Amino acid sequence: MKIKFWGVRGSIPSPGPSTQRYGGNTTCIEVRTDDNNLIILDGGTGIFPLAQQLLKELPLTVHIFNTHSHWDHIQGLPFFIPIFIPGNTIHLYGAFDPISGAGPERIMNIQMQYSYFPVREAEIQSRMHYFTVMPHETVTIGESTITPSLLSHPVVNLGYRIDCRGKSMFFTGDHEPHYNIYEPHDDGYKEYQMLIEEQSQAIIDAIKGVDVLIADSSYTIAEYPSKKGWGHGTFDSCIALAKETGVKILYCTHHEPTRSDDDLEKVFAEALSRHACKDLEIRLAREGDEIII
Amino acid sequence: MTEISAELSKKLTAAVEKMPAFPKSVQRILELSRDINCPPKELVSVIEKDPVMTMKLLRIINSAYYSFPKQITSVNQSIVYIGLNTIKNMALSFAVIGVLPQQNEAGYDMQRYLMHSLITASLARLLCQKFNKDGTDPGDCNLAGLLHDFGKVVFAQFLAEEFKQALRYSAENKVPLHIAERKIIGVDHSVVGAMLVEGWQFPKNLGETIRHHHDDEITPNTLQCCLFVADQLSKHKSLNNGNERDMQPLPPAIAERFGATWDEIIVKLGDLSNVMAEAQAFSQISKEIRT
């Protein structure tokens, strides 16, 4: 299984000299399974440079899994050139949004409205298919399986586990560990705590034992208190999750858009120094990096 | 301003009083939803105290779209799974239409009423976002749109015979319904709608806005203007499969602020297919929940 990062930034693209080393594009990860399936996790702006590469491989069959519908995970999709080329087949998978009552098709038709984008959705030339996926219901593509899990974010966010020929990875999308909304002396505290523990365990079970975990580590623990409820994790929460799930390699991603490369390395080093990690390798996700497992 | 006889006033007050109380919980949800820092546990406790709201939320969450390993049975549990923000927005959406009666004596088409209210609400919000210069909250415009025709519901429920006659008169003589109501009942739905929301203790300006939404002379406040324009635009051909229903003439004050013709205002608002799609999705969900 080959995993390549095309966008590692959170919230908004952040080009410029201070983000040159780690990259300014928003979330996009390319996964090539050993049975030769092309899976793309999220279509942030990083999907645009990926699209340029893919033009060498036409005609394409691409499976794009969307974790959630926030801009930094969808904004590159209308610029994913293969959708406009006849002969390509694009499958877009995503969650059902209870507020709009729609699935991933809405991600395209909302963005490709004429006032905001010159080409309308109706003008897509490839075979484009939309699939609403459900938590815990595995999608099978050849010998690969992709299993969505519900994580915690202001909109419905699915984390995806990919398994193929004994190799596996999990991508959280955006995720903030659950926290108790009650104070310890409140009536609801105990009940809520139980629910959190149950759901946290379900997440641990979903990730358990993967070779590579890619997780949302937007904030430092010092920054977190003022961002509580925004739906993102910390370096420390990601390391804790990686340890609990016994993964081999953790990639920290969704870098805060105002964080420079130097600062990113500094806060990352500080987080590492707080945790002893014997069997766990922890890396910062960097645009252009790839790993073969 | 229409003059109302003592007898008619008594009749209307009696009708308004027969309407169910607007749930306190819904008012509280509306308030909390405006506060970006609203304490989550407070929202949970408000929703939990409203069994109908709780039932609706759980019904959607337990629908086929989420194959949870087990049934979700509490609001807290739904927040752990789906997230606070999503639950807050779902509650808000269900809040207002929850008050609608399922059937009425006059045979008035509630589904169509709901569509009109949802579309007017979205348009009023869009108009406010685009044309507002004085800090009026688009959320208030949305609420005014949702509630502006509630007087029709009161008529349909408690002055059913007269309302039926007004509907017939309006259709046969091709006059707007509010004119027919004034002729048959003596007063139109805007007055009784205002009485109702004032009885529900919504802010005073909301009652005033609803009271005057069919007035020819528009006061220049943003809430009033947005509601009037949205109500009229909802009858525009672009939102009615190409068939235009009677739109009132464009008052000069509105033309100056929003655009010279109804068509021009529609063009300025851009693509409205989404307004339709969302209203349809919502009215569908609420229909499913009732059955």
Side-chain angles (χ1 to χ4, degrees):
Chain A
M1 186 181 289
K2 189 188 95 176
I3 301 166
K4 182 167 182 177
F5 294 97
W6 291 89
V8 296
R9 197 61 58 173
S11 311
I12 188 164
S14 311
S18 68
T19 56
Q20 218 167 26
R21 295 204 302 280
Y22 286 87
N25 277 310
T26 59
T27 305
C28 180
I29 303 165
E30 173 192 3
V31 180
R32 304 272 182 165
T33 56
D34 289 347
D35 63 341
N36 212 22
N37 280 309
L38 169 56
I39 296 170
I40 300 173
L41 297 167
D42 279 340
T45 59
I47 205 171
F48 183 65
L50 167 59
Q52 311 299 313
Q53 282 291 315
L54 292 177
L55 294 179
K56 296 171 196 154
E57 299 177 35
L58 302 179
L60 288 162
T61 298
V62 188
H63 302 272
I64 305 174
F65 284 80
N66 171 256
T67 59
H68 67 293
S69 56
H70 283 162
W71 282 123
D72 50 332
H73 299 257
I74 64 168
Q75 203 177 359
L77 288 170
F79 294 89
F80 187 59
I81 311 300
I83 64 175
F84 300 111
I85 301 173
N88 291 333
T89 305
I90 319 285
H91 303 283
L92 180 64
Y93 307 79
F96 171 77
D97 170 21
I99 303 296
S100 64
E105 66 284 357
R106 192 161 182 269
I107 291 173
M108 294 310 274
N109 58 41
I110 286 279
Q111 289 196 94
M112 299 182 81
Q113 292 181 48
Y114 188 70
S115 331
Y116 305 112
F117 197 75
V119 189
R120 290 171 305 117
E121 193 203 4
E123 296 171 71
I124 288 178
Q125 296 280 310
S126 62
R127 280 183 298 272
M128 183 102 193
H129 305 291
Y130 301 104
F131 300 95
T132 300
V133 293
M134 296 179 230
H136 318 298
E137 291 207 348
T138 297
V139 177
T140 304
I141 302 165
E143 290 175 56
S144 310
T145 58
I146 299 91
T147 311
S149 296
L150 255 187
L151 300 189
S152 158
H153 198 56
V155 289
V156 173
N157 179 90
L158 297 173
Y160 292 106
R161 177 181 175 129
I162 304 176
D163 286 271
C164 183
R165 296 188 187 166
K167 309 286 173 55
S168 55
M169 62 90 66
F170 190 98
F171 175 49
T172 61
D174 290 2
H175 174 61
E176 175 176 12
H178 293 89
Y179 59 89
N180 203 317
I181 62 172
Y182 296 90
E183 301 297 329
H185 56 267
D186 289 339
D187 277 349
Y189 184 85
K190 247 173 113 178
E191 183 214 345
Y192 204 85
Q193 195 58 34
M194 234 171 60
L195 292 168
I196 288 179
E197 280 162 21
E198 202 178 279
Q199 179 60 359
S200 306
Q201 190 56 48
I203 294 172
I204 291 171
D205 293 343
I207 303 175
K208 198 141 233 158
V210 291
D211 299 302
V212 174
L213 168 64
I214 304 169
D216 168 4
S217 62
S218 295
Y219 304 129
T220 64
I221 44 174
E223 291 160 348
Y224 178 69
S226 63
K227 320 275 187 189
K228 198 170 171 178
W230 291 21
H232 300 288
T234 62
F235 293 100
D236 298 68
S237 71
C238 291
I239 295 171
L241 183 63
K243 284 181 169 180
E244 273 173 310
T245 50
V247 308
K248 295 190 183 80
I249 300 171
L250 164 68
Y251 275 98
C252 293
T253 191
H254 206 273
H255 306 317
E256 216 280 330
T258 59
R259 211 179 312 280
S260 69
D261 291 332
D262 292 345
D263 284 344
L264 184 60
E265 284 173 352
K266 184 170 155 269
V267 294
F268 179 64
E270 284 166 5
L272 291 187
S273 70
R274 284 191 287 271
H275 302 272
C277 303
K278 219 172 69 197
D279 302 315
L280 171 66
E281 195 182 331
I282 309 172
R283 302 175 183 173
L284 277 174
R286 182 165 49 188
E287 199 173 308
D289 273 5
E290 65 174 69
I291 174 176
I292 295 169
I293 51 173
Chain B
M1 178 93 197
T2 332
E3 210 169 306
I4 308 173
S5 69
E7 194 196 345
L8 179 58
S9 168
K10 215 168 134 191
K11 199 159 126 189
L12 295 178
T13 310
V16 167
E17 278 171 2
K18 277 190 231 158
M19 282 295 285
F22 196 80
K24 278 253 164 11
S25 58
V26 172
Q27 271 185 55
R28 191 72 192 114
I29 289 168
L30 293 171
E31 270 169 40
L32 284 174
S33 67
R34 276 191 207 147
D35 176 6
I36 196 159
N37 297 313
C38 103
K41 62 181 178 185
E42 199 169 328
L43 188 80
V44 174
S45 90
V46 173
I47 296 175
E48 274 178 340
K49 287 196 186 89
D50 182 338
V52 178
M53 173 78 69
T54 304
M55 189 270 287
K56 285 179 182 173
L57 284 175
L58 296 181
R59 182 125 177 214
I60 290 273
I61 291 161
N62 284 310
S63 68
Y65 287 107
Y66 300 100
S67 50
F68 290 115
K70 62 179 193 181
Q71 183 97 353
I72 307 297
T73 53
S74 74
V75 179
N76 271 333
Q77 209 176 354
S78 74
I79 289 184
V80 174
Y81 281 106
I82 302 279
L84 176 73
N85 224 45
T86 301
I87 297 300
K88 184 168 88 177
N89 281 294
M90 279 169 74
L92 190 60
S93 313
F94 289 131
V96 173
I97 58 166
V99 192
L100 285 182
Q102 297 186 29
Q103 281 140 12
N104 61 81
E105 300 281 317
Y108 180 55
D109 185 343
M110 280 297 166
Q111 208 56 34
R112 200 171 139 189
Y113 163 84
L114 181 58
M115 274 298 282
H116 169 66
S117 301
L118 290 166
I119 290 171
T120 307
S122 297
L123 289 172
R125 192 184 58 227
L126 279 178
L127 286 161
C128 183
Q129 283 161 349
K130 201 168 174 69
F131 294 98
N132 168 26
K133 289 193 184 75
D134 55 11
T136 303
D137 184 349
D140 287 345
C141 292
N142 191 64
L143 188 58
L146 277 173
L147 293 175
H148 76 286
D149 270 351
F150 230 110
K152 291 183 189 169
V153 180
V154 179
F155 282 162
Q157 283 286 89
F158 302 112
L159 276 86
E161 199 40 53
E162 292 98 318
F163 189 53
K164 230 193 282 187
Q165 281 178 40
L167 286 168
R168 204 178 312 129
Y169 185 90
S170 160
E172 284 169 4
N173 299 286
K174 297 197 168 42
V175 295
L177 181 59
H178 67 275
I179 303 287
E181 289 168 347
R182 285 177 195 167
K183 185 170 168 60
I184 308 281
I185 304 173
V187 71
D188 69 50
H189 61 267
S190 63
V191 175
V192 69
M195 288 168 71
L196 187 67
V197 303
E198 279 161 5
W200 283 341
Q201 292 178 340
F202 275 101
K204 218 172 162 33
N205 65 337
L206 184 66
E208 281 304 301
T209 301
I210 290 174
R211 188 181 314 277
H212 299 295
H213 81 267
H214 282 300
D215 282 8
D216 299 330
E217 281 179 33
I218 291 284
T219 48
N221 90 51
T222 303
L223 185 61
Q224 189 84 60
C225 291
C226 289
L227 176 60
F228 179 82
V229 175
D231 189 21
Q232 294 306 314
L233 288 184
S234 74
K235 300 168 194 163
H236 191 267
K237 57 180 182 296
S238 63
L239 291 162
N240 290 281
N241 299 325
N243 303 314
E244 187 142 300
R245 290 155 47 214
D246 311 316
M247 295 175 75
Q248 278 177 237
L250 187 63
I254 295 284
E256 201 176 305
R257 184 162 179 183
F258 292 84
T261 62
W262 291 123
D263 287 344
E264 191 183 317
I265 303 175
I266 282 277
V267 170
K268 280 188 186 171
L269 282 180
D271 183 4
L272 295 175
S273 57
N274 222 29
V275 168
M276 285 302 287
E278 283 182 28
Q280 261 151 6
F282 213 88
S283 109
Q284 187 57 33
I285 288 177
S286 70
K287 200 155 95 187
E288 282 164 13
I289 281 173
R290 284 178 191 287
T291 51

